[in-house]
C-alpha cells in the first residue's frame, strides 16, 4: 500500500499542478487572450494563434530535468527553437515575403521609398529612449527594432544583439503589429486636416517586367554594399522577389511564398511563444520593452505622416501625396497599407489609397532590414 | 546537355579552387616559442619549441597537405599529413605544432627543430605559395614568445610583439577587449551619434535607390513609347469603358498576386467594377464572378501538364 502511495506522491510531483506558479498561470492566460484576439478579432491570426499556443506550451509547469523544456539542450522544442536562436527562421520568412511581394507600386513611384525611410525613425527614437531607461546599447538596439514593425527582423536582430530579451521583443513586435489599426488610426487623424485626407494621388504607371526584374538585383546590390551586415535579410528578400519576377522559377517562388513561409511561420510563432517562460518573461524589463515598443510604433507612425506633410509643402498641386499613406512606412505589410485605405475611404469613399500605400509599405520592409543591418554592424 | 554538364563542372572546379585557396590563406603563423625550458609539455612529456597556427576566418579550415619549414630553400620540409582528420582548425581557433624534430610522434610534431633567429614558413598545399611567416628574434629569451597580436578595427591586421607569457593554443589578442556595445556606451552614451548616422544611412540608401529607379522608369517609359507609337497610329482611338487595357490588366494582376484576404479582394473587384461599368462580373446578389470575355482555356489539355523545373 505504501508503495502505491509513494508512487502516487512521486507522480503528483511530476504533474503541472504540483509545479504551477501564479506566473505560469498569468502567462497561460495571456496566451489564451492572444488566441481569443486572433480568432475573435482576426488580428494577425497567422501569428497570434501560434504565439498564443506557444505561450501555453512554454508555461506548462513541469519538473525540470525531463529534457522537454525549450531551454533544455537537445529537447524537441529546443531543437526547433534553434531556428530562432541562431537566426535562420527570419531570413527564410524574408525569402517568402520577397516571393509574395509585388514591388510595382514602389517601382512606379520610387519617391515613396523616402516615406519608408522616414518611418524608421521609430527604431531610433526607441533606441534613444531605451538608453535613457538604462538599457545597454546592444539591448537598446534590439528593442528599438520593434519600431520597424517587422517581426522576422526583430527576432533576427534580437537573437544577435540581446538573446536574453528576444522573447519579450518578439511578442511585443507581433502584438503591436496586430494592433496596427488601433494604434495608427488616431495618430493619423490627429496629425492630418480634412483637406489633406482628401488629396487624390495620380494613378501609378504600369511597370514593365524588365523593371520588376532589375529591382531586386539593383536593390540588393545597393543595400547590401551599403550595409553588408543586413545580408541575410536583404539577400533573402530580394532573392525571393527575383524568383517571383523572373518568370522562369514560378514553382520555386510558389513554394517560397506558400508552403515554406507557412512552415517557418508556424515554427517561429510556436517557439517564440514557448520561449516566454514565466520565470524569464514576467519582469519589469519586459514591461519596459512593451512600453518602448508601443512608443516606437507611435514615433514611427508620427514621423511617416509628418514627413509627408512637410514634403507636401514643396510639391506642386497634382503631385502632392496624401499623408494618410505616411503610416504605411512602418512595414507591417500589408496591415498598415490597409489602414491607409480604410481611413482614406472614411473621408472619400472613392479615394483608394491602397496601391499608393503599398509603396511606402514595402519600402518600410527594406528600410527596417537596412536599419537592422546598421545596428548589427555597430553593436554586435 | 553536354554544355550544361561542362558548365556545371567548370563552376564546381572554379569554386573549389577559389574556396580552397581562400581558406588556407586565412591561416597565420601566430606564435612561436623557440626555447621552451619551463613551458608547454607535449604528450610524450617533453618540452620543445612550438609553433602556433591561427585561423583568422569564421569558417573551419582543413590544413592537411600544407607544409611547415624553417628553410626558405626547402619549402616542403614538413608535410602535414592529408589523411589525418584532426588537421582542422576551427573559426578563430589555433593549433600548436611541437618543433620536436620527431615527426613520427604524430601529425603535430615537425621533423625540424627551431631556435632563435629561425624563420618559420607556412606553405600552401601546392608546396610553393608561402601563406605566412614569422621570424624569431635572435635575442628572444628562453620561454618567451614572438606573437602576432590582432590589431585594427576589424582585427584582421596584426602586429608582431614578444611576450614573457606565451599562450599556446589560445587567442593572442586582448581577452578583456571591450565589445562594440561597451565601446558605444562609452563613446555615445545617449545614442545620438549612432541614431543620426543610422538615419542618414537609411535615408541615403533609399534615396539612391529611388533615384536609380526613377531613371530606370524614365528609360523604360521612353522605350515603351517608342514601341507603342506605330500601334497607336494604327488604332488611333482611346480605350473604351469595359475594355481590357494594359493598365487594367496590370491592376488585376497586382491585386491577384497580393494576399490581402477576402475583403480587400472584394474592394478591388468593386473598384474595377465601378471603373469598367459593370463589365467584369455578373449581376448576382452577394456573388462576384469574374467573367472573362474570351475563353480562359481552363480545361485545355496543356493546362493539366505539370511544369517541369528548368
Amino acid at each position: 500500500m505504501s508503495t502505491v502511495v509513494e508512487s502516487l506522491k512521486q507522480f503528483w510531483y511530476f504533474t503541472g499542478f504540483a509545479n504551477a506558479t501564479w506566473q505560469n498561470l498569468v502567462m497561460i492566460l495571456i496566451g489564451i487572450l492572444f488566441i481569443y484576439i486572433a480568432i475573435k478579432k482576426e488580428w494577425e491570426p497567422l501569428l497570434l494563434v501560434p504565439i498564443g499556443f506557444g505561450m501555453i506550451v512554454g508555461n506548462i509547469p513541469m519538473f525540470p530535468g525531463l529534457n522537454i523544456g525549450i531551454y533544455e539542450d537537445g529537447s524537441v522544442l529546443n531543437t526547433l527553437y534553434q531556428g530562432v536562436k541562431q537566426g535562420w527562421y527570419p531570413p527564410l520568412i524574408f525569402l517568402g515575403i520577397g516571393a509574395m511581394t509585388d514591388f510595382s507600386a514602389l517601382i512606379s513611384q520610387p519617391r515613396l521609398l523616402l516615406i519608408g525611410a522616414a518611418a524608421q525613425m521609430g527604431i531610433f527614437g526607441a533606441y534613444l529612449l531605451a538608453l535613457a531607461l538604462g538599457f545597454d546599447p546592444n539591448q537598446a538596439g534590439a528593442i528599438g527594432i520593434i519600431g520597424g514593425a517587422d517581426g522576422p527582423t526583430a527576432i533576427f536582430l534580437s537573437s544577435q544583439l540581446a538573446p536574453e530579451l528576444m522573447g519579450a521583443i518578439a511578442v511585443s513586435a507581433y502584438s503591436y503589429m496586430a494592433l496596427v489599426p488601433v494604434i495608427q488610426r488616431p495618430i493619423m487623424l490627429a496629425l492630418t486636416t480634412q483637406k489633406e485626407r482628401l488629396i487624390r494621388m495620380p494613378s501609378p504607371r504600369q511597370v514593365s517586367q524588365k523593371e520588376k526584374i532589375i529591382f531586386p538585383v539593383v536593390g540588393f546590390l545597393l543595400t547590401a554594399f551599403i550595409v553588408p551586415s543586413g545580408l541575410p535579410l536583404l539577400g533573402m528578400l530580394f532573392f525571393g522577389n527575383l524568383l517571383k519576377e523572373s518568370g522562369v522559377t514560378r514553382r520555386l517562388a510558389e513554394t517560397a511564398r506558400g508552403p515554406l513561409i507557412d512552415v517557418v511561420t508556424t515554427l517561429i510563432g510556436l517557439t517564440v511563444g514557448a520561449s516566454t517562460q514565466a520565470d524569464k518573461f514576467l519582469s519589469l524589463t519586459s514591461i519596459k520593452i512593451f512600453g518602448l515598443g508601443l512608443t516606437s510604433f507611435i514615433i514611427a507612425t508620427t514621423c511617416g505622416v509628418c514627413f509627408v506633410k512637410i514634403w507636401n509643402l514643396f510639391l506642386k498641386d497634382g503631385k502632392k501625396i496624401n499623408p494618410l499613406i505616411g503610416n504605411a512606412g512602418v512595414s507591417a505589410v500589408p496591415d498598415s497599407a490597409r489602414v491607409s485605405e480604410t481611413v482614406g475611404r472614411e473621408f472619400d469613399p472613392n479615394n483608394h489609397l491602397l496601391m499608393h500605400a503599398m509603396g511606402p509599405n514595402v519600402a518600410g520592409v527594406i528600410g527596417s532590414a537596412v536599419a537592422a543591418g546598421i545596428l548589427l554592424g555597430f553593436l554586435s | 546537355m553536354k554544355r550544361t554538364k561542362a558548365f556545371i563542372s567548370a563552376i564546381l572546379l572554379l569554386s573549389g579552387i577559389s574556396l580552397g585557396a581562400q581558406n588556407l590563406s586565412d591561416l597565420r603563423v601566430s606564435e612561436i616559442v623557440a626555447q621552451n625550458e619551463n613551458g608547454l609539455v607535449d604528450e610524450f612529456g617533453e618540452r620543445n619549441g612550438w609553433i602556433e597556427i591561427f585561423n583568422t576566418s569564421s569558417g573551419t579550415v582543413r590544413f592537411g597537405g600544407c607544409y611547415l619549414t624553417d628553410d626558405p630553400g626547402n619549402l616542403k620540409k614538413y608535410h602535414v599529413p592529408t589523411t589525418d582528420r584532426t588537421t582542422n582548425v576551427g573559426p578563430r581557433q589555433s593549433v600548436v605544432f611541437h618543433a620536436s624534430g620527431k615527426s613520427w610522434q604524430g601529425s603535430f610534431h615537425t621533423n625540424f627543430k627551431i631556435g632563435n633567429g629561425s624563420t618559420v614558413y607556412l606553405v600552401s598545399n601546392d608546396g610553393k605559395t608561402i601563406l605566412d611567416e614569422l621570424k624569431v628574434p635572435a635575442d628572444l629569451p628562453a620561454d618567451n614568445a614572438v606573437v602576432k597580436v590582432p590589431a585594427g578595427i576589424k582585427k584582421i591586421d596584426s602586429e608582431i610583439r614578444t611576450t614573457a607569457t606565451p599562450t599556446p593554443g589560445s587567442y593572442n589578442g586582448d581577452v578583456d577587449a571591450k565589445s562594440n556595445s561597451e565601446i558605444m556606451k562609452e563613446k555615445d552614451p545617449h545614442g545620438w551619434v549612432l541614431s543620426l548616422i543610422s538615419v542618414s544611412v537609411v535615408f541615403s540608401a533609399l534615396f539612391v535607390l529611388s533615384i536609380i529607379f526613377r531613371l530606370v522608369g524614365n528609360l523604360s517609359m521612353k522605350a515603351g513609347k517608342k514601341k507603342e507609337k506605330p500601334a497607336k497610329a494604327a488604332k488611333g482611338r482611346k480605350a473604351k469603358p469595359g475594355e481590357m487595357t494594359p493598365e487594367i490588366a496590370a491592376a488585376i494582376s497586382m491585386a491577384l498576386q497580393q494576399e490581402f484576404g477576402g475583403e480587400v479582394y472584394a474592394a478591388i473587384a468593386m473598384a474595377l467594377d465601378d471603373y469598367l461599368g459593370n463589365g467584369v462580373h455578373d449581376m448576382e446578389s452577394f456573388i462576384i464572378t469574374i467573367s472573362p470575355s474570351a475563353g480562359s482555356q481552363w480545361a485545355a489539355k496543356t493546362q493539366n501538364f505539370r511544369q517541369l523545373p528548368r
Side-chain angles (χ1 to χ4, degrees):
Chain A
M1 187 62 187
S2 65
T3 312
V4 174
V5 173
E6 280 299 313
S7 300
L8 284 173
K9 255 189 189 176
Q10 196 179 349
F11 175 73
W12 170 254
Y13 288 135
F14 277 98
T15 64
F17 299 105
N19 293 292
T21 62
W22 67 267
Q23 289 96 334
N24 287 132
L25 298 177
V26 169
M27 289 306 298
I28 289 172
L29 285 176
I30 295 174
I32 292 171
L33 180 70
F34 271 44
I35 295 172
Y36 172 80
I37 291 172
I39 296 171
K40 184 77 179 170
K41 303 274 183 188
E42 288 192 33
W43 288 346
E44 294 278 355
L46 298 181
L47 298 169
L48 289 191
V49 169
I51 290 177
F53 198 81
M55 280 179 164
I56 299 172
V57 169
N59 284 282
I60 296 295
M62 68 177 83
F63 194 80
L66 297 176
N67 208 28
I68 51 174
I70 197 163
Y71 293 112
E72 293 180 275
D73 287 347
S75 71
V76 173
L77 280 175
N78 183 266
T79 304
L80 295 176
Y81 186 54
Q82 293 308 308
V84 176
K85 203 175 170 188
Q86 307 292 337
W88 46 267
Y89 283 155
L92 288 176
I93 290 189
F94 260 60
L95 178 71
I97 292 173
M100 71 168 64
T101 304
D102 190 333
F103 285 98
S104 301
L106 191 64
I107 300 168
S108 63
Q109 303 178 83
R111 61 179 184 157
L112 299 182
L113 271 161
L114 296 181
I115 303 174
Q120 305 313 314
M121 298 275 198
I123 295 174
F124 302 104
Y127 172 74
L128 295 174
L129 286 173
L131 284 180
L133 284 176
F135 284 99
D136 287 335
N138 57 323
Q139 294 175 325
I143 294 167
I145 202 69
I146 298 172
D150 197 320
T153 309
I155 290 172
F156 178 76
L157 193 68
S158 55
S159 70
Q160 306 292 314
L161 291 183
E164 71 279 8
L165 303 181
M166 188 168 52
I169 289 170
V171 172
S172 173
Y174 280 122
S175 306
Y176 292 129
M177 279 164 67
L179 293 171
V180 152
V182 181
I183 298 170
Q184 291 196 322
R185 189 177 176 278
I187 300 169
M188 292 158 71
L189 294 181
L191 293 175
T192 51
T193 63
Q194 178 77 8
K195 193 182 165 190
E196 286 172 330
R197 291 174 209 145
L198 297 175
I199 292 175
R200 286 201 171 206
M201 295 171 65
S203 303
R205 69 175 174 84
Q206 191 185 345
V207 175
S208 69
Q209 188 69 16
K210 229 180 245 175
E211 286 176 90
K212 286 184 183 181
I213 293 171
I214 293 171
F215 183 79
V217 178
V218 173
F220 171 65
L221 284 174
L222 180 73
T223 51
F225 266 81
I226 293 175
V227 195
S229 40
L231 194 64
L233 297 176
L234 292 165
M236 292 301 237
L237 177 76
F238 287 116
F239 172 54
N241 193 245
L242 184 63
L243 290 181
K244 174 180 180 288
E245 302 298 357
S246 65
V248 291
T249 51
R250 194 174 158 193
R251 282 180 58 189
L252 300 186
E254 279 175 359
T255 304
R257 66 170 167 251
L260 178 68
I261 199 169
D262 288 349
V263 168
V264 181
T265 303
T266 308
L267 293 177
I268 205 171
L270 186 76
T271 48
V272 162
S275 70
T276 61
Q277 282 185 3
D279 55 334
K280 299 183 191 298
F281 190 78
L282 280 184
S283 64
L284 183 63
T285 305
S286 296
I287 294 169
K288 282 184 189 172
I289 290 171
F290 270 77
L292 287 166
L294 177 62
T295 314
S296 67
F297 264 65
I298 292 171
I299 296 172
T301 308
T302 306
C303 288
V305 175
C306 289
F307 179 76
V308 177
K309 281 169 70 84
I310 295 167
W311 196 1
N312 273 343
L313 298 176
F314 305 97
L315 295 175
K316 292 175 189 168
D317 283 340
K319 294 243 173 189
K320 286 193 189 294
I321 301 168
N322 191 318
L324 290 180
I325 68 166
N327 72 301
V330 298
S331 305
V333 182
D335 285 6
S336 51
R338 200 184 291 175
V339 173
S340 304
E341 166 80 7
T342 313
V343 178
R345 288 191 67 186
E346 277 179 34
F347 298 92
D348 180 356
N350 294 318
N351 193 6
H352 295 284
L353 295 174
L354 188 67
M355 283 305 295
H356 304 291
M358 281 307 291
N361 209 191
V362 292
V365 178
I366 301 171
S368 57
V370 171
I374 297 167
L375 289 171
L376 199 59
F378 271 112
L379 302 172
S380 67
Chain B
M1 195 64 185
K2 274 183 184 173
R3 270 195 307 176
T4 312
K5 275 184 183 172
F7 178 72
I8 292 171
S9 309
I11 293 287
L12 287 176
L13 193 65
L14 282 172
S15 61
I17 290 167
S18 60
L19 277 177
Q22 191 184 6
N23 282 341
L24 290 176
S25 66
D26 291 326
L27 297 178
R28 299 282 181 277
V29 181
S30 55
E31 188 170 355
I32 297 175
V33 167
Q35 300 176 62
N36 178 14
E37 292 176 1
N38 299 298
L40 184 69
V41 179
D42 67 16
E43 59 270 42
F44 297 95
E46 295 173 355
R47 287 193 171 89
N48 303 295
W50 49 265
I51 303 155
E52 183 191 71
I53 307 291
F54 181 66
N55 172 12
T56 58
S57 77
S58 301
T60 298
V61 176
R62 186 173 172 83
F63 58 90
C66 290
Y67 299 88
L68 276 171
T69 181
D70 61 344
D71 179 3
N74 178 14
L75 292 179
K76 293 184 176 179
K77 195 167 188 179
Y78 175 66
H79 183 232
V80 182
T82 45
T83 49
D84 189 343
R85 287 175 178 269
T86 62
T87 51
N88 290 330
V89 54
R92 313 289 297 170
Q93 300 290 314
S94 50
V95 291
V96 173
F97 283 88
H98 301 278
S100 59
K102 302 169 185 171
S103 58
W104 64 87
Q105 288 185 332
S107 300
F108 293 93
H109 286 260
T110 62
N111 57 359
F112 59 89
K113 292 192 172 200
I114 49 173
N116 281 4
S118 300
T119 301
V120 175
Y121 302 89
L122 175 65
V123 182
S124 185
N125 50 12
D126 61 4
K128 296 172 189 168
T129 314
I130 295 174
L131 298 170
D132 196 28
E133 61 185 78
L134 185 59
K135 183 177 170 54
V136 183
D139 56 351
L140 187 72
D143 292 325
N144 280 24
V146 55
V147 293
K148 280 185 184 160
V149 180
I153 295 172
K154 294 178 181 176
K155 304 289 182 199
I156 289 172
D157 303 326
S158 58
E159 56 187 43
I160 296 170
R161 291 184 200 161
T162 56
T163 176
T165 51
T167 55
S170 300
Y171 181 60
N172 292 344
D174 180 6
V175 288
D176 296 322
K178 287 175 179 164
S179 66
N180 283 347
S181 177
E182 287 168 328
I183 293 168
M184 288 306 291
K185 195 173 185 177
E186 275 178 16
K187 288 187 175 173
D188 183 25
H190 302 295
W192 288 106
V193 175
L194 185 142
S195 298
L196 284 174
I197 292 173
S198 305
V199 168
S200 311
V201 172
V202 173
F203 260 98
S204 309
L206 296 186
F207 178 71
V208 174
L209 199 57
S210 73
I211 295 290
I212 290 173
F213 274 88
R214 204 171 168 180
L215 292 173
V216 172
N218 287 343
L219 288 174
S220 175
M221 278 196 294
K222 275 182 191 171
K225 274 178 190 170
K226 273 184 190 172
K227 277 184 188 173
E228 273 175 18
K229 266 182 185 172
K232 268 190 178 175
K235 276 186 178 176
R237 61 176 177 83
K238 275 187 174 179
K240 288 177 185 172
E243 192 176 2
M244 185 63 79
T245 62
E247 289 80 6
I248 296 165
I252 293 171
S253 160
M254 286 170 86
L256 293 177
Q257 282 171 22
Q258 299 295 333
E259 294 196 347
F260 288 141
E263 71 188 69
V264 177
Y265 283 142
I268 293 167
M270 292 303 288
L272 286 169
D273 176 47
D274 285 347
Y275 183 76
L276 296 170
N278 293 327
V280 284
H281 72 83
D282 299 336
M283 297 299 287
E284 297 172 58
S285 302
F286 307 109
I287 298 172
I288 297 170
T289 313
I290 307 291
S291 53
S293 56
S296 67
Q297 294 195 336
W298 65 273
K301 193 162 186 178
T302 52
Q303 298 296 318
N304 295 324
F305 288 157
R306 184 166 168 271
Q307 192 185 356
L308 292 173
R310 296 186 204 184

